[in-house]
Amino acid sequence: MITTRKKIESFRKKRKKIFKGTGETGIEKQHKKGKLTARERIALLIDINTWQEINSFVKHRATNFGMDKIDIPSEGVITGVSRVRDKIVYIASQDFTARGGSVGEMHAEKICAIMDMALKTGDPIVLFNDSGGARIQEGVDSLSGYGKIFYRNTLLSGVVPQIAVVCGPCAGGAAYSPALMDFIIMVKNTSQMYITGPQVIKEVTGENIDGENLGGAIINAQISGNIHFVAQNDQEAIEIVNKLLYFLPSNNTEDGYLNANQDIIWNEDNFLNNIIPDNPKESYNMHKIIQHISDNGDFLEVKALFARNIITGFSKINGVTVGIVANNPLFKAGVLDIDASDKSAEFIRFCNVFNIPIITFVDVPGFIPGVEQEYGGVIRHGAKMLFAYASSTVPKITIITRKAYGGAYLAMSAKSMGTDRVAAWPTAEIAVMGAQGAANIIFRKEILTSENPDETKKQKIEEYQNEFSTPYIAASRGLIDSIIEPKDTRKYIALSLDILKSKNDIRPPKKHGLIPM
Ligand code: HXC
């Protein structure tokens, strides 16, 4: 008879073996590559003594290619649930040291199990991706496993925040799980993400490129815009996850802004009264404005390296998480283009679905002209941005700091697009276009026929600038709600957020709108 004591001892041994994973050799290999192990990543993320591991005894059922004799600790992925900054979070962490963290049928089932739980309890998920992809020995079972993950990624979309950390290889179809999630963090030098690798590309198109230049963190962050954050190492990636979780609600039923502090705290901020240069052609630092209106100057920028002409990210104002969208005069003068439209549309939709109010800062000279942009579908992409703003029902507050011209003025959450509060600084220039362009068109004849065309042109531009490049025409038509001093901006936003708590924006019932793709 096996005694109870023996049964417990046997269980302890089995558990120890599983927790040991592939042991010292595996750990050493992983560390040599500059990576943490799957368990170290979890340990660094979670609040101490809150981890509940799930399905650690799961085994694969493959028999082909000698797999029946192969034991894969934790099936190559550690899954469980924990508290992170006191929030319940479901976590899956692929163990590259266990058969390359390859995804077999049961590996996928483990990930699906925590996704199902996250859906039931309404809590975020974090997936650490460090895997050689579909477990080749398991063939179509492995593919089906991926399908099940993708399906759940889609079910969870807009219900709980989904965060992917790519901290190793993530190639082929495997890349579509992170791509279906809300935020992707990649680790510089140790992670790569692409659909077809350098070898296949060489065979098919003859192009020569290495893995880092094809799908390294910087490429995905800066060129393709596939990812949201770049981390220097695993530790920094985990810090970013932490920060995201701090700003985000646990699910789409949480209305963070309803629980704002009753006492509105603000200081007059004279720095902001001096930030706009006298010369309208000079630029200034929009990030500084964002820092000045954010609690403790804390701003988590999202997609900081992609489409830098627009800034997106999270702050808190008076304790309420807000999403900020702002033109960046320091980069391409803050124009809108295809990438800026895509980046902001994605961000706006995230904010809306998770009840995060959207604050927009406007200094936009227009959509950038160019054949490449037109051929690339700037109409379709720009429409995404308009659609995203107009269809969002969360509180929306716009502050026009300087230029707000033409279609781009509307695209940046103008009053007529359903925005709840629009305020302009006295430096705002709300017009169909800039003074130079406008004067050239409407005073063309006068300029050409004058004795001194250059002087007349200068005069006309100045005339237009003084009379029309101001906030007062828009204000006279009620197209902005208020003109405010820059120093009062934080107060204006905080008061508006408080008032808009009870906002009720009911839209006609439909299955879903047709956002231009
Ligand atoms: C089974 C795999 C594996 C895989 C790695 N391993 N990838 N086992 N299926 N996909 C195993 C290796 O055999 C090895 O086992 C261990 O993991 C570590 O791999 P190494 O090659 O030694 O590591 P490294 O040199 O760092 O190279 C990492 C790698 C390479 C670049 C990821 O392993 C690789 O190219 N793997 C294959 C990638 C691939 O083609 N995957 C399928 C893609 S198709 P031992 O026993 O030696 O420790 C796909 C389709 C998904 O994913 C579609 C979804 C819709």
Side-chain angles (χ1 to χ4, degrees), residues 29 33 96 99-100 102 131-137 143 146 150 169 171-174:
K29 261 192 190 169
K33 287 179 182 163
F96 190 82
R99 292 275 153 173
S102 55
S131 164
R135 188 174 295 153
I136 294 158
Q137 297 90 331
L143 290 185
Y146 269 115
F150 300 165

Side-chain angles (χ1 to χ4, degrees), residues 351-368:
C351 290
N352 187 49
V353 87
F354 286 109
N355 306 315
I356 297 172
I358 302 163
I359 316 294
T360 304
F361 286 94
V362 186
D363 184 353
V364 68
F367 277 93
I368 196 168

